[in-house]
Amino acid sequence: MWGWRAVSVAMLCIALNGAWPALAAEPVGQAVVIKTQVTGQSGPIEVDTRVHRNERINTSQSGLGQFVFRDGTKLAVGWGSSVVIDKYVFDDSQSVKKLTIRAAKGTFRWVSGNSNSSAYQILTPAGTIGVRGTAFDFYVGPDGTTAVVLLNGAASFCGPGGCRQLQQRCDCVVAKPNGDMSAARRVDPSILATLGNQRALPFLSGNQRLAGGIGMLGGCNMASAAPERKDRMRPPPAVAPAPQRQDPPQRQAEPQKERPNKPDKPHHDRPHHAKPHHDKPDRPDKHDGHGRHDDDGKPGNHGLDHRGHERHHDRDRDHDNDRNRDRGHNFNRGR
């Protein structure tokens, strides 16, 4: 009998111990934006789903999740990411004593909440990001290479090769797990080639867009590096030549329409010039031709000779008329 009781107590303890981690899981924040697929310890995460301490959050290759912690800290988890909320110690003053997240891979944006800067710590395979009441983006590649871009405030990055301070907006540091680390410099699109991934830092390039105030941060002249935007810029060059090729025919067609109008003016003027040209030679042919040409070639003589001939003809006619009258008169007398 005692044996059965012992077994029952043992089974009850095992059951309690198995349920204890689930009961002890402390909610530390909740999801405010979910796109495509985001999963947690208990399965798919939806908007308003609570996230807990020690919970691993994974996103698909197009997934996006935005989370808000109890102290107001905001964390955006982009495509292909994996992160664990490692430590979370909350106090009664609406702040945390300790908040540590461990980023294994992917793309992220961090915006500090109401807690002291010393309470935050972000662990990556290449080193640790120290937060000083700030906002920044960071990327962790498959080989552990980490890039941090400062957006507001100040931050530091410490790894095997030492520490780098990010003090100005858009300062960037790239570090590798072996200790190699770049100096802090202003970020530009060439960083994507350095990281070997054109989709790295998607919140800066515009590959993924965030909602709310966390999405207002960014820029740093990285938008032109977005592959989607390059694709959008491809159609305009293809469309631009089309109107340029059509414009020259239209410009050449306009002069062709005007050319027929130009010969119309001389066509209307031809009758006007033909009349004077036709009338002027007629008048001199009738009057000047007879008066100016002569047997000896002198002008004016032929006209005078012509008048003389006419007078002789008139005299001959008068002489003949007188003869006829005399004959008629003598004839009457003879009767």
Side-chain angles (χ1 to χ4, degrees):
M1 185 172 179
W2 286 102
W4 285 104
R5 289 180 178 178
V7 171
S8 299
V9 171
M11 292 179 64
L12 179 61
C13 291
I14 292 172
L16 291 174
N17 288 333
W20 179 252
L23 295 174
E26 179 184 5
V28 296
Q30 66 180 11
V32 293
V33 174
I34 297 295
K35 295 182 180 180
T36 63
Q37 185 177 1
V38 181
T39 58
Q41 182 176 339
S42 302
I45 297 177
E46 299 177 353
V47 175
D48 295 333
T49 297
R50 291 185 177 182
V51 292
H52 302 83
R53 180 170 57 85
N54 293 328
E55 183 173 9
R56 180 179 292 276
I57 299 171
N58 297 310
T59 61
S60 65
Q61 290 302 313
S62 59
L64 172 64
Q66 291 181 219
F67 303 90
V68 177
F69 295 100
R70 292 173 63 179
D71 72 330
T73 297
K74 299 175 182 179
L75 176 66
V77 184
W79 62 271
S81 301
S82 179
V83 62
V84 176
I85 303 171
D86 193 23
K87 295 179 181 179
Y88 189 92
V89 181
F90 189 76
D91 60 17
D92 296 333
S93 61
Q94 298 299 315
S95 62
V96 295
K97 293 181 179 179
K98 193 69 175 178
L99 173 57
T100 303
I101 67 170
R102 188 180 298 273
K105 64 175 182 176
T107 60
F108 308 89
R109 174 167 291 182
W110 171 278
V111 179
S112 299
N114 301 323
S115 304
N116 293 328
S117 298
S118 59
Y120 302 119
Q121 192 176 40
I122 299 173
L123 305 177
T124 74
T128 302
I129 303 174
V131 182
R132 300 179 185 176
T134 185
F136 52 86
D137 282 12
F138 63 101
Y139 166 78
V140 180
D143 62 350
T145 300
T146 301
V148 184
V149 180
L150 182 68
L151 301 177
N152 190 17
S156 64
F157 189 91
C158 295
C163 293
R164 297 288 187 272
Q165 303 298 321
L166 299 104
Q167 299 178 343
Q168 296 183 0
R169 173 177 167 78
C170 299
D171 275 355
C172 175
V173 169
V174 178
K176 294 183 177 295
N178 61 6
D180 292 341
M181 187 183 307
S182 69
R185 65 179 183 86
R186 184 176 180 82
V187 69
D188 58 54
S190 66
I191 189 175
L192 301 180
T194 301
L195 298 174
N197 191 338
Q198 292 296 317
R199 297 184 64 197
L201 304 171
F203 308 136
L204 290 177
S205 65
N207 286 341
Q208 287 188 310
R209 298 187 179 279
L210 302 175
I214 191 173
M216 300 301 293
L217 300 171
C220 298
N221 296 324
M222 289 289 292
S224 61
E228 288 82 358
R229 298 203 174 187
K230 287 182 179 180
D231 293 339
R232 292 175 191 171
M233 293 175 65
R234 288 174 186 173
V239 175
Q244 291 177 358
R245 291 176 182 175
Q246 293 177 359
D247 287 346
Q250 293 178 357
R251 292 177 181 175
Q252 292 177 358
E254 292 178 359
Q256 291 176 358
K257 293 179 181 179
E258 294 178 356
R259 284 175 185 172
N261 295 334
K262 292 181 179 179
D264 289 345
K265 293 181 179 180
H267 178 72
H268 291 294
D269 295 339
R270 284 176 184 173
H272 177 72
H273 292 288
K275 289 179 180 180
H277 178 73
H278 213 37
D279 294 340
K280 287 180 181 179
D282 290 342
R283 291 177 182 175
D285 289 343
K286 291 180 180 180
H287 300 284
D288 297 336
H290 294 287
R292 293 183 181 178
H293 294 285
D294 182 320
D295 292 338
D296 58 1
K298 294 182 181 180
N301 293 333
H302 183 71
L304 296 175
D305 294 339
H306 182 65
R307 291 178 185 178
H309 287 293
E310 288 179 356
R311 290 176 182 175
H312 288 293
H313 285 297
D314 291 339
R315 291 176 183 174
D316 292 337
R317 287 177 186 175
D318 293 340
H319 185 66
D320 292 336
N321 289 334
D322 292 338
R323 286 180 180 179
N324 291 332
R325 287 177 186 175
D326 292 338
R327 288 177 183 175
H329 182 67
N330 294 330
F331 178 74
N332 290 331
R333 284 181 181 180
R335 287 183 181 179

